[in-house]
């Protein structure tokens, strides 16, 4: 009667161990997913350094987990991204004098704001805007598109002015502009400077914009000059925003470091726990192999003894 009881107890114990192993693997996968997310949030150089600092077993387990996760994402059903319909590009800028109204067509192409010459009828300005939108829709590079817009408006006898936009919305809440210019080569040079400044951050944006404010402008563009008080106010606002951004980044970096150390320790602990059944299984196979070889050797000796007798 004791044998069935022992068998039932061993089967229950084996089932409990299987359930515990599945639970450990599930927690390990969750820890690896957390570890992967934290590594992806790090800068590239720091991420490479932290991956090299992982143990060999954890690095291999993380690589296998990431590969399996990528395969699952590739096999999942593809859903095309939603396309958000934007408003039509460009607009009509209208202003009044004491006796009459005037209109200008405006359109931004690749970070350059194009303004047409002033016209008295709005329908004429709308016709100019159609030509600017056509140039905006072209597939060429920036110079070709700006040249196409210039030629289209020049064919209608209208002048064109350019102004380079400088994206400073993260710091001062608005887009800054260069002085107006009629020279295409100068505009392209300013656009290249603006791209480099936007990639470098607020100090470079501030310096470039200050350099633009010190440029001499033709008389017809003097009405666009900002006052010194406005320039200093925007500069102080940008400096304060840059300071707040730096403090937030430092705090986020410290939080990321603490979270990563915790996730790394947890993944190592769960990996060690998950590897115990594997070691036991390998050990069991080794013991079974030893018993089989021992039995086979004993049978061979008995066969030899029988042949000798």
């Amino acid at each position: 009667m004791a044998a069935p009881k022992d068998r039932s107890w061993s089967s229950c114990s084996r089932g409990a161990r299987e359930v515990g192993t599945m639970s450990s693997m599930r927690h390990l996968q969750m820890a690896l997913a957390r570890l992967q997310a934290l590594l992806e949030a790090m800068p590239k150089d720091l991420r490479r350094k932290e991956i090299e600092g992982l143990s060999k077993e954890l690095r291999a387990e993380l690589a296998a987990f990431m590969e399996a996760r990528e395969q699952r994402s590739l096999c999942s059903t593809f859903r095309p991204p939603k396309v958000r319909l934007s408003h039509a590009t460009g607009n009509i800028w209208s202003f009044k004098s004491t006796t009459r109204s005037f209109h200008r067509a405006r359109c931004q192409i690749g970070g350059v704001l194009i303004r047409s010459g002033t016209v008295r009828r709005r329908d004429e300005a709308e016709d100019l805007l159609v030509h600017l939108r056509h140039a905006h829709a072209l597939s060429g590079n920036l110079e070709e598109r700006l040249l196409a817009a210039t030629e289209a408006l020049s064919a209608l006898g209208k002048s064109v002015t350019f102004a380079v936009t400088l994206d400073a919305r993260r710091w001062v809440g608005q887009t800054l502009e260069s002085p107006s210019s009629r020279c295409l080569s100068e505009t392209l040079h300013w656009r290249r400077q603006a791209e480099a400044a936007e990639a470098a951050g607020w100090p470079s944006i501030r310096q470039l914009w200050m350099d633009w404010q010190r440029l001499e402008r033709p008389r017809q563009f003097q009405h666009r000059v900002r006052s010194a008080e406005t320039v200093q106010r925007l500069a102080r606002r940008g400096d304060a925003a840059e300071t707040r951004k730096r403090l937030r980044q430092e705090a986020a970096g410290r939080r990321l470091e603490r979270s990563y150390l915790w996730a790394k320790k947890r993944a190592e602990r769960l990996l060690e726990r998950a590897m115990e059944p594997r070691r036991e299984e390998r050990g069991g196979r080794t013991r079974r192999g030893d018993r089989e070889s021992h039995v086979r050797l004993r049978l061979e000796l008995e066969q030899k003894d029988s042949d000798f007798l």
Side-chain angles (χ1 to χ4, degrees), residues 247-258:
L247 294 176
R248 287 196 301 268
Q249 288 178 343
E250 292 176 355
R254 291 192 294 268
R255 289 195 300 269
L256 178 61
E257 183 180 3
R258 291 195 299 267

Side-chain angles (χ1 to χ4, degrees), residues 63-81:
F65 170 78
M66 293 173 62
E67 184 178 357
R69 201 175 191 182
E70 184 177 359
Q71 291 295 329
R72 287 195 300 270
S73 64
L74 291 176
C75 295
S76 60
T77 304
F78 173 75
R79 294 181 180 179

Side-chain angles (χ1 to χ4, degrees), residues 51-158:
I51 291 176
E52 292 175 354
L54 296 175
S55 63
K56 182 179 179 181
E57 294 80 7
L58 182 56
R59 189 162 59 245
E61 196 75 19
L62 180 61
F65 170 78
M66 293 173 62
E67 184 178 357
R69 201 175 191 182
E70 184 177 359
Q71 291 295 329
R72 287 195 300 270
S73 64
L74 291 176
C75 295
S76 60
T77 304
F78 173 75
R79 294 181 180 179
K82 295 182 179 180
V83 179
R84 179 180 295 180
L85 299 177
S86 60
H87 298 289
T89 304
N91 55 33
I92 303 297
W93 179 46
S94 302
F95 58 97
K96 292 183 178 181
S97 66
T98 55
T99 57
R100 63 187 68 182
S101 299
F102 299 93
H103 311 277
R104 301 181 73 175
R106 307 187 292 188
C107 183
Q108 186 173 152
I109 301 177
V112 177
L113 183 62
I114 307 178
R115 302 185 182 95
S116 70
T118 304
V119 295
R120 295 184 180 180
R121 300 199 316 271
R122 184 176 179 85
D123 58 345
E124 188 177 0
E126 291 176 352
D127 184 55
L128 297 176
L129 182 59
V130 170
H131 288 81
L132 292 180
R133 286 174 175 171
H134 177 72
H136 179 274
L138 295 178
S139 58
N141 57 35
L142 178 59
E143 182 176 3
E144 293 173 349
R145 296 159 71 192
L146 294 179
L147 186 60
T150 304
E151 292 175 349
L153 268 64
S154 298
L156 299 174
K158 303 301 177 183

